[in-house]
Amino acid sequence: VCVHNALNGAIPLVIKEKFPNASITCNEPFPYFINHLVGLGFNVINKNKLYKTHMNKEVHMSKFSIHIGNPPYQVPDNGFGASATPIYHKFVNQAIDDDPEHILMVIPARWLSGGRSELNAFRKSMLADKRINLLHDYHSSKELFKNVEVKGGICYFRWDRDTPSDNCRIVEHYSNGKT
């Protein structure tokens, strides 16, 4: 299992509790959390490269059957957010390129409606990908993250390699609590 953006370790700890024999590696881009995750006993990599592991073993992205995460959304640019460069799609593409059995990721929903040109290829590939069989679209990010505002909302999707389908279940969640 590869957990993207594991931060304080809550997600990998839950996975470890539920599946004690699972091999868990965290793809963590933030140096602040890397030592913390290693201290919890997790292997940690950074952007497809071995960063550090608690057992000093090499870990590569191509060894995971499940990718789970809430990857970082953008690179801060000291502006007011609108000019920040999105990066979440790179984590999703990295997971898809690994060809695992399953992917479950929470990402901004703005890729669905257009916008930044660097998301055009991502948008096109995601909309055409028959392995995405569930998409929850939250119009307001506050529905999932009470203290965080993400313009355009948040979505999460489930990708299953072995069950491609022409039918993707899409659930829209409106800010009034209705679906």
Side-chain angles (χ1 to χ4, degrees):
V1 176
C2 181
V3 179
H4 297 267
N5 204 26
L7 301 175
N8 66 1
I11 292 173
L13 284 171
V14 168
I15 294 168
K16 188 175 187 178
E17 180 181 314
K18 298 288 183 186
F19 305 98
N21 295 326
S23 174
I24 302 167
T25 296
C26 303
N27 183 11
E28 182 55 56
F30 298 110
Y32 175 81
F33 293 107
I34 290 172
N35 287 335
H36 174 70
L37 292 166
V38 170
L40 291 173
F42 296 111
N43 292 323
V44 179
I45 56 175
N46 186 325
K47 296 182 182 177
N48 261 350
K49 296 177 185 171
L50 175 66
Y51 183 80
K52 190 174 188 181
T53 71
H54 73 285
M55 298 173 64
N56 293 322
K57 291 182 182 176
E58 277 201 31
V59 178
H60 298 282
M61 288 301 295
S62 61
K63 297 185 186 252
F64 303 106
S65 57
I66 301 170
H67 287 261
I68 299 172
N70 181 8
Y73 298 161
Q74 61 194 22
V75 176
D77 65 351
N78 298 324
F80 294 102
S83 62
T85 303
I87 59 171
Y88 59 90
H89 62 294
K90 294 179 180 184
F91 285 82
V92 173
N93 287 335
Q94 181 182 62
I96 290 172
D97 288 347
D98 185 30
D99 195 34
E101 293 175 44
H102 308 285
I103 300 171
L104 180 63
M105 293 227 185
V106 177
I107 60 175
R110 58 184 165 257
W111 67 269
L112 289 163
S113 59
R116 304 209 42 148
S117 62
E118 61 262 68
L119 295 175
N120 288 345
F122 176 73
R123 181 179 314 101
K124 185 177 180 180
S125 70
M126 289 290 282
L127 293 174
D129 195 332
K130 295 183 181 299
R131 297 164 297 185
I132 297 174
N133 58 27
L134 177 65
L135 175 75
H136 280 262
D137 180 13
Y138 290 82
H139 292 230
S140 170
S141 60
K142 302 250 184 225
E143 296 289 316
L144 289 178
F145 306 114
K146 301 292 182 209
N147 298 319
V148 178
E149 181 181 355
V150 177
K151 301 264 189 233
I154 295 287
C155 70
Y156 72 85
F157 67 91
R158 184 179 64 209
W159 182 99
D160 293 313
R161 180 190 65 206
D162 299 331
T163 54
S165 173
D166 289 329
N167 300 312
C168 176
R169 181 171 177 236
I170 299 173
V171 181
E172 291 193 75
H173 300 265
Y174 301 95
S175 56
N176 60 8
K178 298 196 180 209
T179 56

